[in-house]
Structure formats: C-alpha cells, structure tokens
Amino acid sequence: MLVTLYQLGITPSNSRTRVSNDNPYSESLFKTLKYRPNYQPKGFESIEAAREWVSLFVKWYDYEHHHSGINFLTPNQMRSGKGPEILQKCHQVYEAATCLVIDR
C-alpha cells in the first residue's frame, strides 16, 4: 500500500500531533459529516444518491454551519471577506447588551 501511495505522490500520515502535514482538518470534517442527522451509515442506494447527499452536505457546511474554529461564522462568510464585518456587528451587540445589564 505504501508503495502505491508514494507512486501517486501521496505522503501517508500517522496522525501525529504537531506535524504540519497531518490531517486534522479532514478528520474534523468526517466527524461533522457522520454526526449529521441524515447521515447514511449503511451506505446509499446508488452513486447518484451518494453524490446528491454529499452535494447537500457541502452546501450546508459552506453556507449554514457555524464553525467553532472560525468564531461561529460559516466558511462562506470567511472566504467572502464578510467575517470581520459580522464579528464587529456581534461585538457591538454584545457591548450594547452589557451596557443594559450594567445600567440596571
């Protein structure tokens, strides 16, 4: 197996901590995928059904999933450059809420 991976230009990972070429992002993505309510642990009826499911998952992940690792923004919000503006608005809301509590 290792020979085939190397022939394909793939460096295998041993999931070692603090190693830059490891795969924690893909492992995290697979965990998120497996915990979706409509996950199909027994497989799909056809390749088309699998592709449709993955397509819907990717759309949900990019546009609806608020990721804890990026301040509970969606990946699309971060890629589109809207992240700082949204976080600034959140900060303003928190500040206003804090002032309301303190003024009481």
Side-chain angles (χ1 to χ4, degrees):
M1 181 67 169
L2 285 176
V3 172
T4 302
L5 289 174
Y6 287 125
Q7 287 175 344
L8 294 171
I10 299 170
T11 304
S13 170
N14 295 317
S15 296
R16 296 165 290 157
T17 57
R18 303 189 195 285
V19 177
S20 63
N21 65 345
D22 235 325
N23 58 0
Y25 298 109
S26 58
E27 289 176 9
S28 176
L29 179 63
F30 283 126
K31 181 179 180 184
T32 302
L33 182 142
K34 291 191 312 187
Y35 282 88
R36 291 292 297 148
N38 60 351
Y39 177 66
Q40 303 290 320
K42 294 183 180 178
F44 297 90
E45 292 182 15
S46 66
I47 188 69
E48 291 79 16
R51 287 176 177 154
E52 181 180 352
W53 190 91
V54 170
S55 177
L56 292 172
F57 172 79
V58 169
K59 183 178 178 183
W60 168 82
Y61 188 88
D62 281 347
Y63 293 93
E64 298 177 41
H65 176 59
H66 294 268
H67 196 288
S68 63
I70 51 176
N71 293 319
F72 295 97
L73 296 172
T74 67
N76 180 266
Q77 289 169 329
M78 289 301 290
R79 277 194 310 275
S80 67
K82 295 178 182 176
E85 178 185 347
I86 292 169
L87 292 174
Q88 179 61 34
K89 288 180 181 179
C90 288
H91 180 72
Q92 291 170 353
V93 169
Y94 292 143
E95 288 292 319
T98 302
C99 292
L100 289 174
V101 172
I102 292 172
D103 288 344
R104 288 185 179 197

